[in-house]
């Protein structure tokens, strides 16, 4: 019998890459590949790359340097190690990758990884294989669904891609070039995916897309459904307890989404809504298509239906032309909104984007200094948000055994990790937890319902209603 071939995937960047990596495993599984955690014993190593900032893409080349040594060692042992570069660096740099790192056998863009088995066969025959076209067919139609035991091994929370690409063309961003035009998957396909996941133990779904709230897929009635209508339908699938979505654009917050937050308890009250800057002048230069006023109004619409809704965001500091005054406007916006957390980045010029041609560069020292000030403010808001949980009872969806023996870890509605001492039987259930203390970013507490109640509630559907005793930031 042929031995299984070993596959190691290293993923960089966003949640979409995490999801894509799982689908690559699902694609290669039927071709005899099994996952390994050690790249040095792998027959195929895939770097699933990110091009969003320069640092992210450069990491790929240093990793390829390490893989070159491993590949040579494998050859000495009489073994062929294939190396594939997938994801957005593959899309953006194409054959340049093979010139710069001839150790690479396959280069495959994010829309073509369903062709990985053929590309590998071609590389073994011809030396190299490259595919970075945007194929006419929908890759999702060709991806085999994950097997039940694979779904179970991935835990009770899962990503599902519902939308890919972006038509917004922010001047700093490579996504419209690397992921292509915005495309929404039909509702029927998403429902099939979610039902299959729910049937095999998944309880929380995060719908993902580069611009997820621009979703406009073909609905079950043949009409175009927006994200809010999709959420409403998915909430009715037996077994699904929690729904999340990421990443949203402020211009695409429509009434159906607001209503979903108002009407559907499964839709979690935590919204990631990137704004990038608090200066209208910079937002215009970024081609964000919204002002700070539009952004505040979007936040107010969410808060009008649920004061407990909390927000996170993305910020870029040091965009070309950003003055101290612009930057202070960002700090003022953060202070005004009050976030539960946020990501902040130094501006990184990306080849081929309009902002890369802009000349009013902010110095590296100024960027460092601004990033530190912004992060200090965001950290203080996040700490205050987390501390506000102490002494309250919050709902936690339990995910897995924690590192400490006897402890189980789960997440609150706001994605805060929460630890309790409890039996593993609680995994997959939402239970109320009395929060007693905070350790860095983790909440520690105890179950607020006696265990016999748990035993009386077999299965995975929660019996406890959301007990939002905590307020948003
Ligand atoms: N579609 C989402 C939106 O519009 O907010 C964001 C997608 S992008 C993958 C994630 C984040 O990376 C962005 O929100 C932005 O803050 C950051 N980012 C994108 N391009 C960047 C660049 N050239 N330099 C620094 N940060 C960047
Ligand atoms: Fe990039 Fe998001 Fe702007 Fe699209 S909306 S170009 S993904 S930052």
């Amino acid at each position: 019998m042929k031995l299984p071939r070993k596959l190691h995937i290293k993923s960089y960047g966003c949640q979409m890459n995490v999801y894509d990596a799982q689908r690559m495993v699902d694609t290669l599984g039927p071709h005899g590949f099994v996952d390994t955690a050690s790249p040095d014993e792998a027959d195929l190593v895939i770097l699933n790359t990110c091009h969003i900032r320069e640092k992210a893409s450069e990491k790929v080349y240093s990793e390829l340097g390490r893989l070159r040594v491993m590949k040579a060692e494998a050859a000495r042992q009489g073994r062929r190690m294939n190396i594939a570069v997938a994801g957005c660096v593959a899309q953006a740099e194409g054959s340049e990758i093979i010139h710069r790192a001839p150790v690479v056998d396959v280069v495959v863009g994010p829309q073509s990884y369903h062709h990985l088995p053929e590309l590998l066969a071609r590389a073994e025959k011809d030396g190299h294989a490259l595919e970075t076209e945007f194929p006419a067919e929908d890759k999702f139609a060709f991806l085999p669904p994950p097997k039940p035991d694979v779904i179970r091994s991935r835990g009770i929370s899962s990503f599902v891609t519902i939308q890919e690409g972006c038509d917004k063309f922010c001047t700093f961003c490579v996504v419209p070039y690397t992921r292509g035009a915005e495309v929404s998957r039909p509702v029927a396909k998403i429902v099939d995916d979610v039902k299959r996941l729910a049937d095999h133990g998944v309880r929380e779904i995060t719908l993902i897309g580069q611009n997820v709230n621009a979703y406009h897929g073909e609905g079950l009635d043949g009409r175009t459904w927006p994200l809010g209508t999709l959420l409403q339908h998915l909430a009715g699938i037996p077994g699904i307890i929690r729904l999340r979505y990421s990443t949203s654009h402020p211009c695409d917050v429509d009434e159906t989404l607001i209503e979903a937050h108002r009407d559907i308890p499964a839709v979690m009250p935590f919204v990631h809504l990137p704004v990038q800057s608090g200066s209208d002048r910079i937002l215009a230069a970024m081609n964000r298509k919204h002002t700070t006023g539009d952004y505040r109004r979007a936040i107010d619409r969410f808060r009008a239906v649920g004061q407990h809704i909390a927000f996170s965001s993305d910020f870029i500091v040091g965009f070309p032309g950003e003055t101290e005054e612009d930057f202070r406007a960002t700090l003022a916006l953060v202070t005004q909104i009050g976030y539960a957390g946020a990501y902040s980045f130094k501006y990184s010029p990306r080849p081929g984007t309009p902002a890369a041609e802009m000349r009013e560069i902010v110095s590296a020292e100024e960027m460092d200094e601004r990033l530190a000030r912004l992060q200090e403010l965001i950290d203080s808001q996040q700490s205050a948000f987390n501390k506000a949980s102490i002494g309250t009872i919050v709902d936690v969806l339990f995910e897995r055994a924690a590192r400490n023996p006897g402890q189980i870890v789960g997440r609150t509605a706001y994605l805060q990790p929460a630890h309790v001492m409890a039996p593993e039987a609680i995994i997959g259930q939402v239970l109320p937890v009395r929060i007693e203390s905070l350790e860095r970013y983790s909440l520690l507490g105890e179950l607020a319902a006696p265990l016999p109640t748990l035993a009386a509630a077999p299965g995975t559907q929660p019996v406890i209603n959301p007990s939002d005793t905590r307020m948003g930031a």
Side-chain angles (χ1 to χ4, degrees):
M1 204 178 86
K2 215 173 156 189
L3 281 178
R5 292 190 282 173
K6 291 186 181 163
L7 164 67
H8 177 84
I9 304 186
K10 184 161 184 181
S11 245
Y12 301 80
C14 66
Q15 52 203 4
M16 197 153 260
N17 268 6
V18 174
Y19 175 84
D20 285 353
Q22 289 184 347
R23 301 312 302 264
M24 288 182 209
V25 172
D26 301 337
T27 303
L28 290 163
H31 294 265
F33 282 95
V34 292
D35 243 343
T36 173
S38 339
D40 50 351
E41 62 172 35
D43 301 296
L44 170 61
V45 177
I46 302 178
L47 301 184
N48 191 22
T49 61
C50 172
H51 197 54
I52 203 84
R53 284 168 289 275
E54 190 181 2
K55 226 180 184 173
S57 354
E58 280 308 312
K59 273 188 200 155
V60 176
Y61 288 101
S62 34
E63 190 62 32
L64 286 173
R66 283 189 281 277
L67 288 176
R68 185 164 51 84
V69 178
M70 285 184 207
K71 184 169 176 148
E73 180 52 33
R76 261 193 295 281
Q77 294 167 8
R79 206 160 52 79
R80 179 178 169 119
M81 175 191 276
N82 281 307
I83 297 176
V85 176
C88 291
V89 175
Q91 188 63 44
E93 298 190 7
S95 58
E96 177 60 26
I97 295 175
I98 295 174
H99 285 139
R100 208 171 141 183
V103 70
V104 173
D105 304 283
V106 172
V107 174
V108 57
Q111 301 311 333
S112 305
Y113 58 74
H114 56 302
H115 291 157
L116 264 168
E118 295 102 276
L119 290 168
L120 279 171
R122 219 194 303 154
E124 286 185 6
K125 193 157 100 350
D126 303 340
H128 295 293
L130 175 119
E131 189 172 319
T132 53
E133 296 303 308
F134 289 105
E137 83 266 9
D138 168 19
K139 74 175 173 219
F140 291 100
F142 294 86
L143 293 169
K147 297 214 163 70
D149 56 325
V150 172
I151 297 175
R152 286 208 179 81
S153 71
R154 288 176 183 164
I156 57 115
S157 182
S158 182
F159 292 134
V160 171
T161 292
I162 62 164
Q163 176 278 335
E164 273 202 90
C166 182
D167 296 339
K168 294 277 191 296
F169 288 92
C170 298
T171 54
F172 53 81
C173 184
V174 289
V175 168
Y177 312 96
T178 55
R179 291 274 174 169
E182 206 176 285
V183 179
S184 294
R185 296 179 66 205
V187 172
K189 305 272 187 211
I190 298 167
V191 169
D192 282 354
D193 285 1
V194 172
K195 276 189 178 155
R196 188 180 174 84
L197 291 166
D199 283 350
H200 300 294
V202 169
R203 298 291 163 255
E204 175 180 73
I205 299 284
T206 303
L207 304 176
I208 55 173
Q210 269 90 22
N211 220 324
V212 77
N213 61 332
Y215 178 80
H216 57 282
E218 185 192 338
L220 299 181
D221 54 6
R223 296 188 196 178
T224 300
W225 284 18
L227 178 61
T229 314
L230 175 66
L231 285 166
Q232 201 175 9
H233 190 82
L234 297 181
I237 293 179
I240 295 303
I241 303 173
R242 285 184 168 184
L243 291 168
R244 303 180 184 275
Y245 57 91
S246 188
T247 295
S248 297
H249 191 286
C251 294
D252 294 318
V253 175
D254 72 358
E255 259 334 277
T256 70
L257 189 56
I258 301 291
E259 284 162 10
H261 278 274
R262 185 192 62 201
D263 301 336
I264 311 170
V267 175
M268 289 294 100
F270 190 36
V271 179
H272 184 60
L273 197 64
V275 63
Q276 314 299 350
S277 168
S279 154
D280 285 336
R281 208 176 65 80
I282 295 298
L283 288 178
M286 287 175 163
N287 188 33
R288 283 291 290 179
K289 303 180 173 73
H290 61 80
T291 60
T292 50
D294 298 329
Y295 183 78
R296 280 196 219 95
R297 277 186 289 280
I299 298 268
D300 288 346
R301 285 164 69 206
F302 283 108
R303 284 189 170 150
V305 297
Q307 273 301 312
H308 62 299
I309 297 178
F311 298 89
S312 60
S313 189
D314 291 348
F315 294 91
I316 295 179
V317 301
F319 185 80
E322 184 191 72
T323 61
E324 174 62 22
E325 199 187 335
D326 293 316
F327 175 65
R328 285 205 189 145
T330 299
L331 295 180
L333 183 74
V334 174
T335 305
Q336 192 188 2
I337 304 286
Y339 289 100
Y343 300 98
S344 45
F345 311 101
K346 287 189 273 185
Y347 167 70
S348 168
R350 306 311 294 129
T353 60
E357 306 299 316
M358 296 179 186
R359 291 283 145 253
E360 288 174 88
I361 308 274
V362 175
S363 73
E365 297 72 33
E366 272 171 309
M367 276 205 220
D368 285 340
E369 195 254 348
R370 287 179 194 170
L371 187 68
R373 281 157 70 198
L374 177 59
Q375 288 185 339
E376 195 184 322
L377 178 59
I378 292 167
D379 279 355
S380 70
Q381 292 190 343
Q382 185 170 6
S383 284
F385 185 82
N386 288 341
K387 272 193 196 134
S389 309
I390 297 174
T392 68
I393 293 177
V394 301
D395 285 339
V396 173
L397 171 57
F398 286 97
E399 291 183 356
R400 59 188 161 80
R403 222 173 291 146
N404 286 350
Q407 248 186 6
I408 307 294
V409 62
R411 298 229 174 224
T412 69
Y414 306 105
L415 285 177
Q416 299 146 300
H419 292 73
V420 298
M421 294 299 287
E424 291 199 6
I426 69 167
I427 291 173
Q429 300 207 36
V430 175
L431 296 167
V433 172
R434 186 173 296 104
I435 303 300
E436 290 162 341
S437 60
L438 184 63
E439 205 172 89
R440 285 178 60 81
Y441 296 104
S442 279
L443 305 175
L444 304 181
E446 61 175 21
L447 290 180
L451 278 175
T453 317
L454 295 180
T460 43
Q461 285 287 10
V463 283
I464 290 104
N465 290 322
S467 57
D468 291 318
T469 54
R470 56 169 305 158
M471 297 298 288

